[in-house]
Amino acid sequence: MIMIMLNQTDVTPSCFILNGIPGLEDMHMWISFPFCSMYVVAMVGNCGLLYLIRYEDSLHRPMYYFLAMLSLTDLVMCSSTTPKALCIFWFQLKEISFEECLVQMFFIHTFTGMESGVLMLMALDYRYVAICYPLRYSTILTNPIIAKAGLITFLRGVLLVIPLTFIIKRLPYCRGNIIHHTYCDHMAVAKLSCGNIKINVIYGLMVALLIGGFDILCISVSYTMILWAVVSLSSAEARWKAFSTCTAHICAIVFSYSPAFFVSFLTALGSQDSPSCHIIVANIYLLLPPTMNPIVYGVKTKQIRDCVIRILLGSKDTKSHSI
C-alpha cells in the first residue's frame, strides 16, 4: 500500500489512495458487474436520447430541450465516478493525485446540483406551464429563455462548489492519504485533515440547503399548483391525461432524490458501523438517475418511443406522430 510520507513542512499529499468499499474488498469483482451494467445502460440511453433530440424535428420542443439538459448532466455525473471505481474493482488502480481528486470532487458536486436544478426547471417550466397555461406555452418557453435557465442553473452549481474545493485545498493533511471510498467525496477527504473542518461541515450543509432544499421547495410548490389545476378540470379523462404527462418527471424525481435522502439519513446517523452500505448507496445515488431516466422517458413518452421504434424498424420517414 502506497503511503505518503509527510513532514512538518509538507502537509499536502501528492496523491490519495481510494480504497473502494471497505469490508467488501473480496467482493469488488462481483460488485463491479452491476456498476458496469448500469454505466453502459446510462451511456447508451442518454447518448441515444441526445441523438434523437438533435436529429428529430418533432422533438425540437421545450420539453425535450430540458430532457437533453438532463441527459448531458447524467452523462457527466456518472462518468465522473464510475470509470475510476471500475479501475479500482478490476485493476486495483487506487491512486489519484491531489489535483485530480479536487477536479473529481468539483464535477461530482457541480453536476449533482445541476441534476437537481434541471428537475426543478422541468417541474416549474414545461410541466407547470404546459398544464396551467397551455395556450401560452410556446410564447413563455422560448429557446432563449430555456438557454438562460440552463446556464443560470449550471452557474449556480459552479459558483457554490468552487469555494468548496478551495476550502478542501487549504486544509493540512496528516492523517494518512487513504480514502475509504470509490471517489473523492468532500467529507471523506476532509476527515483526513488534522485541521479544523468545521467550516467544511457548515459550508457543505449550506450548499445542500441552497441547492437541494430550494429545488425541492420549488418542485413542491409547482406540483401543488399543478394538482390544483388538474383537480379543477371537469372531465375525469382530462384530469387523467393531464396528470399522466407528469409521471415520467415524478419517476425521475424519485430516482434522484430517494438515494440522496438515504445517504443524508445514513450520514446523520453516523455510518461508522456500516461504511460499506453508505458507500454503495452513495454510488447508487450517482448511477441510478442516469440509468433510469432514459428508460423512463423512453417508455412513458410516446414521441420518443415512436422515434426509437421507427429507427429500429429501419424506416426512412423522419416525421413522428404527435402525442
Side-chain angles (χ1 to χ4, degrees):
M1 191 72 66
I2 301 174
M3 292 294 294
I4 303 299
M5 299 303 296
L6 303 176
N7 55 39
Q8 294 181 349
T9 60
D10 183 11
V11 290
T12 300
S14 61
C15 69
F16 290 114
I17 304 299
L18 294 170
N19 208 29
I21 304 175
L24 298 177
E25 289 85 357
D26 294 338
M27 298 182 65
H28 275 180
M29 184 61 68
W30 295 105
I31 294 172
S32 70
F33 289 119
F35 274 58
C36 182
S37 301
M38 293 175 71
Y39 183 60
V40 170
V41 171
M43 294 296 291
V44 172
N46 286 290
C47 288
L49 274 180
L50 290 172
Y51 175 85
L52 288 177
I53 295 169
R54 170 65 180 83
Y55 290 105
E56 289 290 335
D57 292 339
S58 62
L59 303 183
H60 293 175
R61 295 167 53 187
M63 168 182 175
Y64 303 106
Y65 293 149
F66 285 116
L67 184 55
M69 289 185 199
L70 189 65
S71 291
L72 280 171
T73 302
D74 284 341
L75 285 172
V76 177
M77 191 168 73
C78 65
S79 296
S80 299
T81 58
T82 309
K84 182 61 180 178
L86 293 177
C87 286
I88 295 171
F89 296 152
W90 289 343
F91 309 114
Q92 298 296 306
L93 299 176
K94 300 182 177 183
E95 186 174 316
I96 184 170
S97 71
F98 185 76
E99 292 75 17
E100 289 172 342
C101 187
L102 292 179
V103 171
Q104 186 187 53
M105 188 186 306
F106 171 79
F107 274 91
I108 291 169
H109 292 292
T110 297
F111 282 90
T112 51
M114 181 75 178
E115 173 99 358
S116 177
V118 173
L119 289 174
M120 180 266 292
L121 289 178
M122 295 170 84
L124 288 178
D125 291 344
Y126 88 80
R127 286 304 88 205
Y128 171 69
V129 175
I131 291 175
C132 298
Y133 301 99
L135 298 179
R136 300 172 58 193
Y137 180 65
S138 59
T139 57
I140 293 175
L141 292 179
T142 60
N143 288 348
I145 292 295
I146 295 170
K148 289 176 183 177
L151 180 61
I152 290 171
T153 304
F154 174 70
L155 290 177
R156 179 190 68 166
V158 170
L159 294 176
L160 286 174
V161 173
I162 283 178
L164 202 66
T165 58
F166 281 105
I167 293 171
I168 281 287
K169 191 173 183 179
R170 70 170 180 83
L171 290 174
Y173 295 90
C174 55
R175 293 179 179 172
N177 67 327
I178 299 177
I179 301 173
H180 296 291
H181 215 300
T182 57
Y183 60 83
C184 289
D185 177 68
H186 167 233
M187 287 309 301
V189 176
K191 287 177 181 177
L192 296 179
S193 172
C194 51
N196 187 354
I197 63 170
K198 184 179 293 185
I199 188 173
N200 296 75
V201 175
I202 294 173
Y203 189 77
L205 289 173
M206 186 182 75
V207 170
L209 289 174
L210 287 175
I211 294 179
F214 176 78
D215 292 345
I216 291 171
L217 176 63
C218 291
I219 291 171
S220 301
V221 171
S222 176
Y223 270 99
T224 299
M225 300 177 74
I226 289 171
L227 186 61
W228 182 266
V230 170
V231 170
S232 65
L233 296 174
S234 57
S235 168
E237 183 180 353
R239 287 196 295 269
W240 170 249
K241 185 177 180 180
F243 192 73
S244 64
T245 61
C246 300
T247 53
H249 184 250
I250 292 172
C251 289
I253 291 172
V254 172
F255 290 135
S256 181
Y257 285 111
S258 295
F261 284 133
F262 195 37
V263 169
S264 300
F265 179 71
L266 289 175
T267 302
L269 289 180
S271 57
Q272 290 81 5
D273 295 332
S274 57
S276 58
C277 180
H278 183 277
I279 293 169
I280 290 172
V281 173
N283 279 275
I284 291 174
Y285 167 53
L286 297 176
L287 261 178
L288 186 63
T291 303
M292 296 306 299
N293 286 343
I295 295 174
V296 169
Y297 278 97
V299 170
K300 301 295 292 184
T301 308
K302 186 178 184 298
Q303 283 183 302
I304 294 177
R305 193 168 63 245
D306 289 347
C307 290
V308 172
I309 292 172
R310 188 171 62 252
I311 291 173
L312 291 177
L313 293 177
S315 173
K316 295 182 179 180
D317 182 14
T318 57
K319 295 181 179 179
S320 62
H321 300 288
S322 60
I323 294 178

